[in-house]
Amino acid sequence: MTGVFSLFPEGRPGLLAAPGDPASYPAAGGHAPPAAPGRLLELIAEAGLRGRGGAGFPAAVKLRAVRDAPGRPVVVANGEEGEPGSVKDRWLLRHRPHMVLDGLRLAAAVTGAARGYVHLSDAAAERAVRQALAEHPSDLDVEVVRTEHTYVAGEETAVVRRIDGGPALPTAKPPRPFESGVGGAPTLVANVETLARIALIHARPDEAADIAGTHLVTLSGAAGATLVEAPAGTHLKVLADLCGHGRAQAVLLGGLFGGLHGAGWRDLPLDHDGLSAAGGALGCGALHFLHPEDCPVAVATEAVTYLAAQSARQCGVCVSGTGALARTLVAVARGEAGDDATEQLRRWSRQLPGRGACGLLDAAARIVATLLTHFPDRVDVHRAAACRACAVPVPHDGRRFTVRVP
């Protein structure tokens, strides 16, 4: 990991530059009493803050839904990063725990919650959060819940299930947590970056729009990895050039959720709507760059094989669907695929999305669909013979995409 880097203008509010120690944080406006929770909710809505866990759902809408549901709400800081290429949540919990806990406290004030949880799997993050709780006890009753790290453990229904004493595995929806979550109570499951930005908006309300419009993104690839804070709309070319990935020929968007993008990727904006319009997704904000020596077929095969191995194995369509996609991609990569392999992959990538209890199956299908869209010639070449990059055994552990926390 090469470290952290901010594109935020000097002196402007950013999470990477914010104070992390208990002495400096209150002086920067942290831990201030939420004098008007209703006004804070208005600020969050006006700023257009969207959740940073992957879906990009408007944070204010989620807060209102929990606040207005019958029963005493519960709030959860979700710090379980399932995407192997993302480090932002663990970095925040390790280095900005006071800000995350402050955001959790403020979310509780907005929703009327009396109980809060921090859900995580990282040991260093757990130590930092517990130390922060000891350094600045909160009037919110907060419990830290440790889970095993898996791709699906951070899905919101899996979070609720784990806090309630079960395994961190997704459940069928409805109900969603805002309707019936922890112990049956309406529950806000909020990503830790979302909560940190709520705390920063509360401390610096005049700059709420800038705070809401900035993203933490993890950039990785052959040139190393960097955690970057950048304004929405920044072209991916700018990020790539600044962090040593200017030679890249393609990018895997949103961790493993946003698919592969080839020609034209440099002009794509760091923005939910812009990437969605291009057939991709920002997801958790993890971007993996493919350099000229990287084979798109090998990258897609490794990603889908990893997802198949990470299936919760609760939905038959997910088990069979991810397995079929992975096996067929492996055959393509090795030059052993039949004449109908490409059409099979294309058909499955259209039929499978939306049929699982979580987004894992959707991620696998999107990777296949975008591989066929952006690299059809490379797929055709592989049907005749494997390339050097595809000749090695396909790992199941996602090692190509895994990034260490700085």
Side-chain angles (χ1 to χ4, degrees):
M1 188 81 179
T2 57
V4 298
F5 185 81
S6 179
L7 294 183
F8 227 90
E10 188 174 352
R12 302 296 292 277
L15 299 185
L16 297 185
D21 61 279
S24 301
Y25 184 63
H31 300 311
R39 177 54 188 152
L40 176 58
L41 182 57
E42 290 175 2
L43 274 173
I44 294 168
E46 291 167 2
L49 180 65
R50 297 172 70 161
R52 302 304 164 85
F57 194 75
V61 174
K62 204 169 183 181
L63 285 162
R64 284 197 188 97
V66 173
R67 181 197 64 182
D68 296 342
R72 191 68 185 271
V74 172
V75 290
V76 179
N78 185 12
E80 169 47 22
E81 281 181 303
E83 293 285 0
S86 179
V87 297
K88 68 181 182 68
D89 296 337
R90 283 168 290 165
W91 190 92
L92 285 171
L93 288 171
R94 291 184 186 190
H95 299 286
R96 301 290 184 269
H98 285 278
M99 182 173 282
V100 173
L101 291 170
D102 198 12
L104 186 66
R105 173 187 68 95
L106 293 166
V110 168
T111 60
R115 287 186 297 146
Y117 295 86
V118 181
H119 178 260
L120 46 74
S121 65
D122 180 57
E126 181 180 9
R127 289 192 296 270
V129 169
R130 291 190 183 279
Q131 181 176 340
L133 285 169
E135 290 168 344
H136 192 280
S138 173
D139 50 2
L140 177 68
D141 182 14
V142 178
E143 181 179 341
V144 180
V145 177
R146 179 88 172 265
T147 189
E148 292 297 319
H149 173 70
T150 67
Y151 187 83
V152 301
E155 195 274 341
E156 62 176 6
T157 62
V159 173
V160 168
R161 194 172 179 184
R162 175 67 187 92
I163 292 173
D164 276 341
L169 297 173
T171 59
K173 297 172 279 291
R176 292 191 174 275
F178 78 86
E179 298 167 308
S180 178
V182 176
T187 300
L188 175 77
V189 180
N191 173 262
V192 295
E193 184 188 349
T194 310
L195 293 171
R197 294 201 179 277
I198 288 174
L200 203 52
I201 287 171
H202 184 253
R204 305 180 73 162
D206 292 343
E207 297 169 289
D210 286 340
I211 295 166
T214 307
H215 296 270
L216 288 179
V217 291
T218 311
L219 311 180
S220 63
T226 313
L227 178 62
V228 177
E229 188 164 23
T234 302
H235 284 173
L236 300 195
K237 178 185 185 299
V238 174
L239 298 176
D241 288 345
L242 284 172
C243 300
H245 300 288
R247 295 172 54 245
Q249 63 175 350
V251 62
L252 180 60
L253 300 168
L256 303 182
F257 186 74
L260 286 161
H261 205 100
W265 70 264
R266 291 173 175 80
D267 295 323
L268 292 176
L270 184 70
D271 172 76
H272 281 286
D273 295 334
L275 292 180
S276 178
L282 179 58
C284 63
L287 307 177
H288 181 80
F289 293 98
L290 281 64
H291 288 239
E293 60 271 22
D294 295 317
C295 173
V297 176
V299 172
T301 301
E302 189 168 333
V304 175
T305 299
Y306 170 74
L307 290 170
Q310 288 289 306
S311 170
R313 312 199 76 76
Q314 296 184 135
C315 305
V317 68
C318 180
V319 176
S320 61
T322 56
L325 291 171
R327 287 191 299 272
T328 306
L329 275 178
V330 168
V332 170
R334 292 175 177 170
E336 301 170 353
D339 293 339
D340 61 345
T342 301
E343 186 51 42
Q344 282 182 327
L345 288 171
R346 183 172 288 109
R347 184 173 67 253
W348 292 334
S349 70
R350 293 169 178 165
Q351 294 175 343
L352 292 174
R355 298 182 62 188
C358 68
L360 184 146
L361 182 59
D362 294 11
R366 191 195 294 262
I367 290 171
V368 172
T370 52
L371 173 69
L372 297 176
T373 297
H374 291 278
F375 302 98
D377 294 343
R378 300 292 292 269
V379 174
D380 287 342
V381 169
H382 279 72
R383 290 177 57 201
C387 68
R388 181 179 299 179
C390 294
V392 298
V394 181
H396 292 65
D397 56 7
R399 69 187 67 171
R400 178 192 295 267
F401 313 104
T402 301
V403 177
R404 293 187 178 182
V405 183

